[in-house]
């Protein structure tokens, strides 16, 4: 799963096949593993906004259209050509499954209720990700909530507990990523909302940003 915002991409970059670790709890393994049902094409609307409410871009996706991605709105800071190039490759991948290659090392059961189980793990990134992205991911604490009945993801979170310097001239002060998953029309869970916030310094300048990505009007493509 790849998104137009580079920092978001570290968590969900598209990668090659991966296999779940047999030592992981079975419930966690099922939730992050490949979808077991029929992969039905879906259409949807996507929007990404800054934390201030300003729209970065909005588009619709229809897999049966000659031009699957239709851009409805975009900031002047992003050209239509760059945006199309960024979102088109994996525009239809909105799903909350197939995340085995985002998990590094042991998985622990952190909490449990009658309906859900919460697991923690150390995240990582696919092999083709930038080293900077991998450093952030592997210093973060990953958390997922799994529905016991459906054995699917309900939500996930990345939290950087301590600041660090990925290079001499830069420091990542904070990084937080939170995603919510909902069952689509076919029952497959999709990423309905993703929020991201970070605070970084580089070459004497500090930058804090936040964004909200929403996927709406998910329908089986006709």
């Amino acid at each position: 799963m790849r998104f137009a915002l580079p920092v978001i991409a570290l968590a969900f970059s598209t990668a090659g096949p991966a296999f779940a670790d047999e030592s992981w709890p079975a419930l966690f393994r099922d939730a992050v593993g490949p979808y077991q049902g029929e992969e039905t094409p879906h259409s949807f609307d996507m929007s990404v906004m800054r934390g201030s409410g300003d729209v970065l871009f909005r588009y619709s996706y229809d897999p049966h259209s000659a031009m699957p991605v239709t851009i409805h709105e975009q900031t002047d800071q992003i050209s239509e050509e760059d945006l199309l190039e960024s979102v088109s490759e994996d525009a239809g991948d909105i799903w909350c499954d197939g995340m085995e290659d985002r998990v590094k090392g042991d998985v622990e059961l952190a909490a449990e209720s009658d309906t859900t189980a919460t697991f923690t793990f150390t995240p990582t990134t696919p092999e083709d990700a930038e080293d900077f992205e991998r450093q952030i991911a592997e210093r973060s604490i990953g958390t997922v909530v799994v529905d016991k009945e459906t054995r699917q993801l309900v939500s996930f979170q990345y939290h950087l507990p301590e600041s660090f310097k990925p290079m001499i001239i830069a420091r990542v002060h904070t990084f937080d990523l939170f995603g919510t998953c909902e069952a689509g029309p076919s029952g497959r869970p999709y990423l309905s909302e993703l929020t991201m916030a970070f605070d970084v310094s580089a070459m004497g300048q500090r930058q804090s940003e936040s964004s909200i990505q929403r996927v709406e009007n998910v329908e089986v493509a006709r």
Side-chain angles (χ1 to χ4, degrees):
M1 188 179 295
R2 186 180 299 276
F3 300 90
L5 295 178
V7 177
I8 290 179
L10 74 89
F12 301 99
S13 298
T14 299
F19 300 95
D21 191 320
E22 291 299 321
S23 70
W24 296 346
L27 187 60
F28 176 90
R29 194 166 62 242
D30 289 349
V32 303
Y35 182 59
Q36 298 302 314
E38 181 179 354
E39 295 193 10
T40 306
H42 287 68
S43 61
F44 57 86
D45 296 325
M46 168 82 76
S47 64
V48 178
M49 299 177 292
R50 297 191 188 278
S52 61
D54 296 334
V55 174
L56 287 170
F57 58 86
R58 294 189 304 109
Y59 69 84
S60 297
Y61 176 77
D62 180 355
H64 295 327
S65 174
M67 296 289 290
V69 175
T70 301
I71 298 173
H72 300 295
E73 189 174 356
Q74 68 194 78
T75 177
D76 293 339
Q77 298 173 334
I78 306 174
S79 72
E80 182 170 338
E81 182 180 3
D82 288 343
L83 181 55
L84 283 172
E85 181 179 356
S86 178
V87 304
S88 293
E89 181 180 355
D90 302 295
D93 190 355
I94 57 173
W95 310 111
C96 287
D97 50 49
M99 294 174 60
E100 308 100 312
D101 59 342
R102 282 69 161 176
V103 182
K104 179 180 181 180
D106 297 334
V107 175
E108 297 184 3
L109 177 65
E112 190 171 9
S113 70
D114 292 340
T115 57
T116 64
T118 301
F119 299 94
T120 59
F121 63 99
T122 300
T124 189
T125 57
E127 293 182 357
D128 61 350
E130 296 290 337
D131 182 62
F132 174 68
E133 297 175 347
R134 182 171 292 108
Q135 287 187 61
I136 295 178
E138 295 184 357
R139 284 173 168 80
S140 296
I141 298 172
T143 305
V144 298
V145 178
V146 181
D147 185 299
K148 288 183 175 180
E149 181 177 357
T150 63
R151 307 183 78 82
Q152 295 177 342
L153 289 184
V154 175
S155 64
F156 58 86
Q157 182 177 14
Y158 283 20
H159 171 66
L160 182 68
E162 297 180 357
S163 68
F164 77 100
K165 293 177 69 67
M167 57 190 71
I168 295 177
I169 61 172
R171 176 177 290 276
V172 180
H173 300 281
T174 62
F175 174 76
D176 286 282
L177 184 77
F178 183 81
T180 303
C181 304
E182 295 183 17
S186 64
R188 189 177 184 183
Y190 70 94
L191 184 59
S192 59
E193 185 168 294
L194 184 71
T195 63
M196 182 272 297
F198 68 88
D199 181 5
V200 299
S201 297
M203 301 184 68
Q205 295 186 336
R206 190 157 179 168
Q207 179 183 10
S208 297
E209 286 193 17
S210 61
S211 65
I212 303 171
Q213 173 183 282
R214 292 191 176 96
V215 174
E216 300 173 297
N217 303 319
V218 179
E219 299 178 353
V220 175
R222 304 299 181 183

